[in-house]
């Protein structure tokens, strides 16, 4: 049974505040510190720290940070221990309030890495009344087979509650929500669309990722602006001990990441870049094949500040290039190229500053997403630009041993523009702009009411200025009831608002263009209510089972209006509402001979237009199963296996064709035609079920002064034909159907290295 | 999704995926397709008759490769020929009752409603199943009038729609600093290498501007259509027709004349022209008919002519005089015809610079002509085809010869036998001999 001091310490582990109580402040002190691995200065999580001879203990968080409160002011000794690490004891002088400790790894480092995750999830279970939360660390991500390289979002797609529509998208449909309803943050910077063109690759480089928190619903008041989920990606800091170079070369891409300290300033840096090069490889054979590639870069600088504070700046740049020659150049005349532009730019600053018993956490960021489609030069072009400038500050305090209160203020200014036209013809078909500003404040409390009951009440208030000023109240309440030390029931209810929408038609099988709009006098603010109730059971430290049921309502959704009139503002979308209900099951094993998880989700969701038309959205999948296992493989490898199953997804059936004729005004005649399909009920048909087996083998050895990690993986081992899209022909007898499949059997290989 | 974008998506899809094998599916659901555009501004065309095309969609019962006249499943080109200039729907709906009524003039001389039939008592129109013709001058159509359509098939399917008739008060052309009204007959010359053609239209009850550019003298050239949600549009002389990939993808070529048409359309037509059903989502087309799919719209237009010239940077470009005489054997009992044609020749902006176009004017085989020619250089030989419009028919006269820089071109043969239309003067298949020279002036 942990003491209340240790509960407070564990709260600090999750960065919620300092444990020292005001009454104890005069006679005691708090010590804030970091525990790092001696080999690479990476933060060590889950290290147990106790004050020798004192009833004070805690554990380090993902960054290796810890706080011990209520320590005597005299000199003390702190003991550090964790499986996989050489235990150590250090002295903290009287008057010393900060400390940094480096621990050596033991020979069973792999075991330590595998058990690293369990303490975090276990401690969250013990401390937090929060449903639907899963954390992934880089090893979880890299050991889940993926397309070409480890991808955080593709790993999240294997968790319960998510539906992946096809192999080519990293879009997240979470518990019936649409892909624009997820708050995706990179070090606190919101990203509009964290994917590259087509949706096959995400913007996140796993080498730089520290951890990923995924909240699938019922999330607390500190998060706002989206209806369905939160994906919080935190980059790690650069190695503070020495300079390192990470690299990876694979079948499709190459990347490098350099990190290290800046002299002895305590400042660390990390800078990485990535590029696909299938275009370059294939161009050796035919320069017209696949004129597409993407490149992205990431950078982070972090510095400690006095008083155990820290300041970090994170930047991201990504750009996709597709330049297809449509009409050749001729002498004296330029040709025409089909160009697709797609890019993300983001920069953010995070200042974390303990202030005695409080902690101030401040974020400033700018995030931009652009997408464009055009026939160049100047023939026709569509562009969508979306930018958000945001600032927020959270203040965490602990006004008692049983409360952890966080109060926050924030502001987000959006700037979204859409333009379609032809510079050559000097016409503008459509021009829209949206400028919503959202002011927000929240208050939440993690209240350990009784030993067996944790409450988490919260309230988020948002004021949206967008032509029509609107004030929105979002109550959020969570509760956890412990029946035993290892068994608890958790529930949460909450209301969520979203002032921006993407009205891209999500039924289109590949993402070529986005279309972000914002709330204004004619565009509504989306709303969703969540009710989540779940049960979680732990079997020791290494096995957990959770079952969660949920019900969500959706109001004021925006669905693309095919008949929008460019001269009418506000008809770009059709208002819709909907609901989603389901059940998610997660069985997760940490460490041991094998680790991984079994994720099952049952879900039903529906949308309804204002005219009463009801339809299933394209992600309405009844059953989803993902089994991810990591274990020892042949030839000394680490093997990752993933089996996925998905019950049929909906699509709109095609029941005929017609000749859409083209009219000639001069001749008063129909002089041409185009074939067009005729459809039946929207999303009234179902594709066949989906299944896929992937295998990954990874080795590790040292050579030439570095660490080498070659890998080989096969996606879709059984080469199952999973349908992607259908095409129909009704202009022949009998009518026929063909189509395109998702990924066939696809082997990839590569090697990572660290120097 | 606007028209054309789904084909770009298809390219990306095809790069990324594998084909599924083709399987048979059940017969689909046939739908009545009605397409008609009312024209209040063409009192003389087709004897002043409006027409509506009524056909059935393809449902897999019969394929497009089906000839309704013979009942045989073989490919025919009915759909590919301009309707109603010889083309007709391959899946027509026959014996439908087609009415059009002017809701703002219900009691006019045309009757209430106006009945369209597929076999009107006239020889001025092309009669085929699926094409329904109204009486001359009916319905009455004034700017702002609302017309209602009703189509009922023998199976009881009913399709309805309405359109509001647009009106055009005037249109001007601004090119090379000159402003020309479309109301003034004539031809405007512009330099396609440096000039921009601007159009301004004044109208009422209109939603969209449609601009058409067609090669003068060639009714088989479908030309270029530009749609603009505005009353003004600018067309650079060197713009490329990006949605038609082929040998001639410049909208304008120097050495050619163009028929330039501007039209104002109603909102139904605007929606019809700008939208299409996506092949994969099945949605996208904005259908303003009830009970069926298609268009019932209205449109007014005006036309002028353009003459495109260009910069002469190639030594082969310039003014030429073609003189010569035809083989006497061809003119038994007649005086041999001598030819004296002036050519204004331009090289097309293609990579091999082998194609040319030219304005031709003067005395030709059949008399005085003012037309254009297209040609091709191949090594030291050349071929040129003079397009000549006689009535509504286009005659193509072919010349062959040799050329050498700085020297007169030698015309060796004139061969009308290869022309697509027109009177053949060939005797027993032999080409007509023509001896002449083309001398650069």
């Amino acid at each position: 049974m942990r003491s209340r001091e240790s509960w407070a310490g564990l709260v600090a582990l999750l960065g919620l505040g300092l444990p020292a109580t005001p009454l104890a402040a005069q006679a005691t002190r708090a010590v804030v510190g970091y525990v790092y691995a001696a080999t690479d200065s990476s933060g060590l999580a889950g290290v147990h720290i106790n004050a020798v001879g004192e009833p004070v203990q805690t554990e380090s968080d993902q960054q290796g940070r810890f706080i011990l409160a209520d320590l005597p002011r005299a000199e003390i000794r702190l003991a550090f221990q964790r499986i996989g690490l050489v235990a150590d004891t250090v002295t903290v002088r009287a008057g010393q309030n900060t400390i940094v400790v480096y621990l050596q790894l033991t020979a069973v480092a792999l075991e330590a890495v595998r058990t690293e995750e369990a303490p975090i999830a276990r401690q969250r279970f013990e401390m937090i009344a929060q449903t639907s939360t899963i954390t992934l660390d880089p090893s979880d991500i890299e050991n889940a087979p993926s397309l070409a390289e480890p991808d955080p979002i593709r790993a999240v797609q294997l968790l319960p509650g998510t539906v992946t529509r096809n192999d080519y998208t990293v879009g997240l449909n979470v518990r019936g929500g649409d892909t624009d309803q997820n708050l995706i943050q990179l070090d606190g910077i919101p990203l509009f669309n964290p994917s590259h063109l087509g949706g096959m690759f995400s913007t996140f480089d796993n080498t730089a990722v520290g951890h990923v928190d995924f909240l699938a619903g019922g999330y607390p008041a500190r998060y706002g602006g989206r209806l369905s989920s939160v994906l919080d990606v935190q980059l790690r800091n650069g190695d503070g001990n020495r300079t390192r170079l990470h690299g990876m070369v694979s079948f499709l891409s190459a990347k490098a990441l350099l990190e290290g300290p800046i002299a002895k300033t305590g400042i660390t840096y990390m800078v990485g870049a990535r590029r696909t090069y299938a275009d370059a490889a294939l161009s050796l054979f035919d320069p017209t094949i696949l004129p597409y590639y993407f490149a992205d870069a990431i950078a982070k600088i972090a510095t400690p500040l006095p008083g155990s504070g820290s300041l970090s700046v994170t930047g991201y740049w990504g750009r996709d290039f597709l330049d297809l020659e449509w009409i050749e150049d001729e002498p004296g005349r330029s040709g025409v190229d089909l160009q697709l532009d797609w890019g993300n730019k983001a920069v953010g600053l995070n200042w974390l500053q303990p202030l005695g018993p409080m902690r101030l956490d401040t974020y400033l960021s700018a995030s931009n997403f652009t997408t464009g489609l055009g026939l160049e030069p100047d023939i026709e072009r569509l562009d969508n630009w979306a930018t958000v400038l945001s600032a927020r500050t959270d203040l965490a305090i602990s006004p008692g041993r049983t409360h952890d209160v966080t109060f926050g203020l924030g502001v987000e200014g959006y700037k979204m523009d859409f333009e379609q036209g032809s510079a050559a013809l000097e016409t503008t078909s459509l021009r829209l702009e949206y400028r919503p500003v959202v002011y927000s404040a929240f208050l939440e409390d993690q209240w350990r009411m009784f030993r067996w009951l944790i409450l988490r009440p919260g309230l988020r208030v948002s004021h949206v200025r967008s032509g029509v000023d609107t004030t929105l109240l979002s109550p959020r309440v969570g509760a956890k009831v412990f029946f035993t030390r290892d068994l608890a029931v958790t529930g949460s209810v909450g209301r969520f608002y979203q002032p921006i929408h993407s009205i891209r038609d999500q039924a289109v099988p590949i993402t070529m263009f986005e279309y972000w709009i914002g709330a204004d006098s004619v565009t509504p603010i989306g709303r969703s209510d969540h009710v989540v109730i779940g049960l979680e059971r732990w079997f020791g430290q290494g096995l957990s089972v959770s079952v969660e049921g949920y019900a969500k309502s959706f109001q004021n959704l925006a669905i693309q209006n095919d008949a929008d009139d460019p001269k009418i503002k506000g008809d770009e979308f059709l208002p819709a509402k909907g609901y989603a209900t389901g059940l998610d099951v997660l069985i997760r094993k940490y460490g041991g001979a094998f680790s991984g998880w079994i994720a099952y989700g049952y879900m039903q969701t529906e949308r309804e237009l204002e005219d009463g038309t009801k339809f299933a959205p394209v992600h309405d999948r009844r059953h989803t199963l993902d089994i991810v296992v990591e274990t020892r493989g042949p030839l000394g490898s680490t093997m990752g296996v993933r089996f996925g199953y998905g019950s049929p997804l909906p699509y709109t059936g095609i029941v005929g064709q017609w000749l859409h004729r083209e009219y000639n005004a001069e001749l008063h005649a129909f002089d041409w035609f185009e074939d067009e399909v005729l459809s039946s009920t929207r999303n009234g048909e179902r594709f066949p079920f989906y299944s896929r087996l992937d295998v990954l083998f990874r080795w590790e050895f040292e050579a030439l002064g570095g660490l080498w990690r070659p890998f080989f993986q096969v996606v879709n081992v059984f080469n199952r034909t999973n349908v992607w899209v259908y095409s129909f022909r009704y202009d022949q007898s009998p009518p026929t159907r063909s189509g395109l499949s998702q990924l066939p059997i696809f082997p990839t290989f590569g090697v990572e290295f660290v120097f | 999704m606007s028209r054309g974008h789904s084909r770009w998506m298809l390219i990306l899809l095809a790069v990324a995926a594998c084909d599924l094998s083709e399987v048979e599916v059940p017969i689909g659901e046939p739908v009545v397709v009605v397409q008609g555009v009312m024209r209040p501004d063409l009192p003389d065309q087709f004897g002043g008759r409006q027409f509506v095309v009524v056909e059935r969609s393809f449902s897999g019962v019969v394929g497009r490769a089906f000839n309704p006249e013979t009942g045989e499943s073989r490919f025919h080109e009915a759909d590919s020929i301009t309707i109603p200039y010889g083309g007709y729907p391959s899946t027509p709906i026959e014996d439908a009752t087609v009415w059009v009524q002017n809701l703002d003039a219900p009691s006019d001389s045309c009757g209430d409603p106006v009945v369209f039939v597929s076999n009107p008592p006239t020889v001025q129109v092309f009669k085929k199943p699926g094409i329904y013709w109204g009486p001359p001058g009916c319905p009455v159509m004034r700017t702002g009038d609302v017309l209602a359509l009703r189509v009922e098939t023998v199976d009881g399917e009913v399709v309805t729609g309405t359109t509001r008739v647009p009106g055009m008060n005037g249109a001007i052309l601004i090119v090379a600093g000159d402003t020309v009204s479309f109301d003034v007959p004539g031809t405007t010359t512009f330099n396609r290498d440096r000039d921009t053609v601007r159009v301004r239209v004044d109208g009422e009850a209109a939603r969209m501007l449609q601009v058409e550019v067609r090669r003068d003298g060639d009714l088989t050239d479908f030309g270029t259509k530009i749609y603009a949600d505005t009353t003004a549009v600018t067309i650079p002389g060197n713009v490329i027709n990006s949605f038609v990939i082929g040998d001639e993808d410049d909208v304008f070529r120097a050495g050619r004349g163009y028929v330039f048409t501007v039209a104002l359309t109603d909102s139904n037509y605007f929606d019809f022209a700008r939208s299409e059903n996506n092949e994969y989502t099945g949605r996208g087309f904005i259908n303003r008919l009830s009970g069926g799919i298609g268009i019932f719209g209205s449109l007014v237009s005006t036309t002028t002519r353009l003459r495109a010239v260009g910069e002469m940077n190639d030594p082969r470009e310039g003014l030429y005089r073609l003189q010569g005489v035809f083989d006497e054997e061809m003119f038994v009992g007649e005086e041999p015809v001598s030819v004296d044609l002036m050519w204004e020749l331009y090289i097309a902006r293609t990579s091999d610079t082998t194609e040319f176009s030219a304005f031709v004017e003067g005395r030709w085989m059949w008399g005085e002509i003012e037309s254009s020619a297209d040609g091709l250089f191949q090594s030291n030989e050349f071929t040129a085809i003079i397009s000549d419009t006689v009535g509504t028919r286009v005659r193509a006269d072919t010349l062959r010869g040799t050329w050498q820089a700085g020297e007169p071109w030698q015309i060796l043969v004139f061969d009308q036998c290869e022309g697509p239309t027109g009177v053949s003067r060939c005797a027993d298949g032999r080409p007509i001999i023509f001896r002449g020279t083309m001398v650069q002036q």
Side-chain angles (χ1 to χ4, degrees), chain A residues 144-150 154 167-168 200-201 248 250-253 276-279 281-282 290 640 642 690-697 711-722 741-750, chain B residues 14-18:
Chain A
S146 181
L147 178 66
E149 61 176 74
R154 289 202 177 273
D167 295 338
Y168 302 117
M200 290 181 67
F201 296 91
M248 189 204 74
S250 77
F251 183 63
L252 293 178
S253 64
T276 57
Y277 48 67
D279 61 314
L282 293 173
L290 194 65
R642 175 252 176 172
Y690 169 96
S691 76
R692 200 180 89 185
L693 179 71
D694 308 329
V695 179
L696 164 70
F697 302 96
F711 64 88
F712 173 76
Q713 67 178 353
V714 181
V715 169
N716 197 2
V717 170
F718 295 126
N719 198 25
R720 175 184 157 76
T721 301
N722 292 307
S741 71
Q742 299 182 44
L743 281 176
I745 183 169
F746 194 83
T748 64
F749 54 89
Chain B
V15 170
C18 299

Side-chain angles (χ1 to χ4, degrees), chain A residues 142-188:
Chain A
E142 69 181 13
N143 289 319
S146 181
L147 178 66
E149 61 176 74
D151 190 304
I153 291 189
R154 289 202 177 273
V156 169
Q157 288 178 331
L158 304 179
L159 298 175
T162 63
V163 168
T164 306
R165 288 185 46 220
N166 59 66
D167 295 338
Y168 302 117
T169 179
V170 292
L172 286 176
N173 292 106
V174 181
R175 291 183 173 175
D178 299 317
T179 55
D180 66 331
Q181 295 174 359
N182 309 303
L183 175 62
I184 299 175
Q185 300 183 137
L186 175 67
D187 278 358

Side-chain angles (χ1 to χ4, degrees), chain B residues 41-353:
Chain B
D41 58 329
L42 296 177
D44 300 324
Q45 194 146 349
F46 304 127
R49 296 174 185 269
Q50 308 293 326
F51 72 93
V52 174
V53 178
V54 182
E55 58 191 315
R56 198 165 292 282
S57 64
F58 297 106
S59 59
V61 173
V62 293
R64 189 183 308 162
F66 177 76
N67 189 324
E69 293 178 310
T70 65
E72 294 176 343
S73 293
R74 65 176 177 83
F75 181 73
H76 72 93
E77 297 179 342
D79 286 313
S80 301
I81 302 175
T82 303
I83 298 175
Y85 289 88
Y88 56 93
S90 60
T91 54
I93 293 180
E94 300 184 50
D95 301 324
T97 303
V98 180
W99 297 344
V100 176
Q101 182 180 26
N102 185 332
L103 300 181
D104 292 307
S107 301
D108 61 30
S109 58
C110 289
D112 177 25
V114 174
V115 179
F116 282 49
V117 297
S118 60
N119 188 16
T122 177
V123 297
Q124 291 181 297
V125 301
F126 184 71
K127 302 174 192 176
K128 276 290 187 182
I131 305 175
Y132 291 81
W133 296 94
C138 294
V140 169
M141 290 182 276
R142 302 163 300 187
T143 299
D145 283 353
V146 176
L147 308 180
L149 167 77
R150 188 176 192 277
V151 175
E152 183 172 354
T153 71
V154 294
D155 297 323
E157 300 150 302
V158 175
V159 178
T160 58
T162 60
T163 177
R164 187 157 180 247
V165 179
M168 184 182 294
N169 298 326
I172 58 172
L173 194 70
I174 305 169
V175 61
D178 293 331
T179 300
V180 177
S181 170
F182 277 70
D183 295 333
V184 178
T187 300
T188 304
T189 298
F190 75 103
N191 187 317
R192 56 91 57 205
D193 291 325
R194 64 165 189 260
D195 291 337
T196 295
V197 177
R198 290 188 168 86
V199 176
R200 303 283 185 269
V201 183
D202 177 31
E204 296 177 45
R207 188 62 181 84
M208 186 183 80
L209 178 65
Q210 175 168 314
V211 176
E212 298 173 0
V213 180
R214 179 179 64 80
R215 174 85 182 276
D216 199 356
D218 187 356
L219 291 173
T220 64
D221 181 350
F222 298 127
T224 300
K225 295 188 183 68
I226 297 169
Y227 308 101
D229 185 14
T230 180
T231 55
V233 71
T234 298
I235 306 173
N238 59 2
V239 74
I240 298 174
N241 182 9
S242 306
F243 293 95
V244 176
I245 300 176
D247 293 333
E248 297 181 347
D249 45 11
D250 282 334
V251 173
F252 298 110
R253 275 197 179 185
R256 294 184 176 181
Y258 293 92
V259 177
F260 192 82
T261 301
V262 294
L264 289 178
T265 84
D266 75 324
S267 59
N268 291 348
Y269 188 100
F270 171 58
D271 292 335
F272 174 76
R274 68 185 175 109
S275 66
E276 65 177 357
N277 277 337
N278 181 283
E279 179 181 353
Y280 302 106
T281 69
R283 301 191 318 277
F285 176 66
I286 305 170
N287 183 31
R288 297 301 183 190
L289 295 178
S290 296
I293 194 168
I295 169 69
F296 181 59
S298 47
L299 178 153
V300 291
S301 72
T302 185
T303 297
T304 189
R305 280 177 159 73
L306 296 177
R307 186 172 179 275
V309 299
E311 302 298 313
M312 290 183 172
N313 300 317
D314 189 296
R316 294 169 292 177
E317 293 177 312
L319 293 175
Y320 290 81
R321 187 172 187 180
L322 167 64
Q323 290 177 301
V325 63
F326 287 94
D327 193 313
E328 292 181 355
E329 291 183 9
M330 178 183 153
F331 296 94
V332 175
E334 302 175 26
E335 288 293 319
V337 175
S338 64
V339 165
D340 191 349
L341 272 183
M342 292 299 296
W343 291 56
E344 184 179 338
L345 189 145
Y346 298 90
I347 301 295
R349 306 291 184 258
T350 57
S351 58
D352 56 8
T353 64

Side-chain angles (χ1 to χ4, degrees), chain A residues 168 197 200 290 322 324 326-336 338 340 373-375 379-380 382 420 424-429 505 507-510 512 560 562-567 652 654-680 682-683 721-744, chain B residues 3 5 7-9 11-13 15-29 31 33 35-37 39 42 45-46 50-51 53 55 57-61 63-64 79-80 82-85 89 198 207 210 212 214 219 222 225-227 229-230 232-234 236 239-243 245 249-250 259 261 263 269-270 272 274-286 293 299 301 349-351:
Chain A
Y168 302 117
L197 180 66
M200 290 181 67
L290 194 65
L322 174 65
L324 186 67
W326 197 249
I327 296 174
E328 291 182 0
D329 291 344
E330 305 285 2
R333 188 205 74 187
S334 301
V336 176
L338 172 64
L340 272 73
L373 179 64
L375 287 177
I379 302 297
E380 185 181 357
L382 297 82
Q420 178 178 359
L425 304 182
E426 297 183 4
T427 59
T428 300
S429 305
D505 187 351
V508 174
I510 191 167
M512 283 174 26
Q560 186 184 61
D562 298 324
D564 81 290
D565 188 327
K567 284 190 160 54
T652 300
I654 304 301
V655 294
Q657 281 171 251
W658 67 293
L659 301 183
H660 184 154
R661 299 188 182 275
E662 199 166 297
Y663 182 75
N664 186 306
E666 181 210 347
L667 301 178
H668 185 27
F670 291 103
D671 63 0
W672 196 242
F673 64 85
E674 286 190 19
D675 265 320
E676 274 185 34
V677 298
L678 290 169
S679 60
S680 62
R682 183 170 184 169
N683 295 342
T721 301
N722 292 307
V723 176
W724 186 17
V725 292
Y726 282 136
S727 295
F728 295 82
R729 286 201 62 183
Y730 284 91
D731 62 342
Q732 60 187 31
S733 183
T736 60
R737 183 193 72 200
S738 60
L740 298 172
S741 71
Q742 299 182 44
L743 281 176
Chain B
R3 300 188 75 177
H5 295 167
R7 64 177 72 94
W8 301 340
M9 183 175 70
I11 293 173
L12 292 178
L13 292 176
V15 170
C18 299
D19 291 334
L20 299 176
S21 55
E22 192 173 79
V23 298
E24 190 175 322
V25 294
I27 299 296
E29 302 166 11
V31 170
V33 181
Q35 297 181 83
V37 180
R39 297 293 302 270
L42 296 177
Q45 194 146 349
F46 304 127
Q50 308 293 326
F51 72 93
V53 178
E55 58 191 315
S57 64
F58 297 106
S59 59
V61 173
R64 189 183 308 162
D79 286 313
S80 301
T82 303
I83 298 175
Y85 289 88
R198 290 188 168 86
R207 188 62 181 84
Q210 175 168 314
E212 298 173 0
R214 179 179 64 80
L219 291 173
F222 298 127
K225 295 188 183 68
I226 297 169
Y227 308 101
D229 185 14
T230 180
V233 71
T234 298
V239 74
I240 298 174
N241 182 9
S242 306
F243 293 95
I245 300 176
D249 45 11
D250 282 334
V259 177
T261 301
Y269 188 100
F270 171 58
F272 174 76
R274 68 185 175 109
S275 66
E276 65 177 357
N277 277 337
N278 181 283
E279 179 181 353
Y280 302 106
T281 69
R283 301 191 318 277
F285 176 66
I286 305 170
I293 194 168
L299 178 153
S301 72
R349 306 291 184 258
T350 57
S351 58

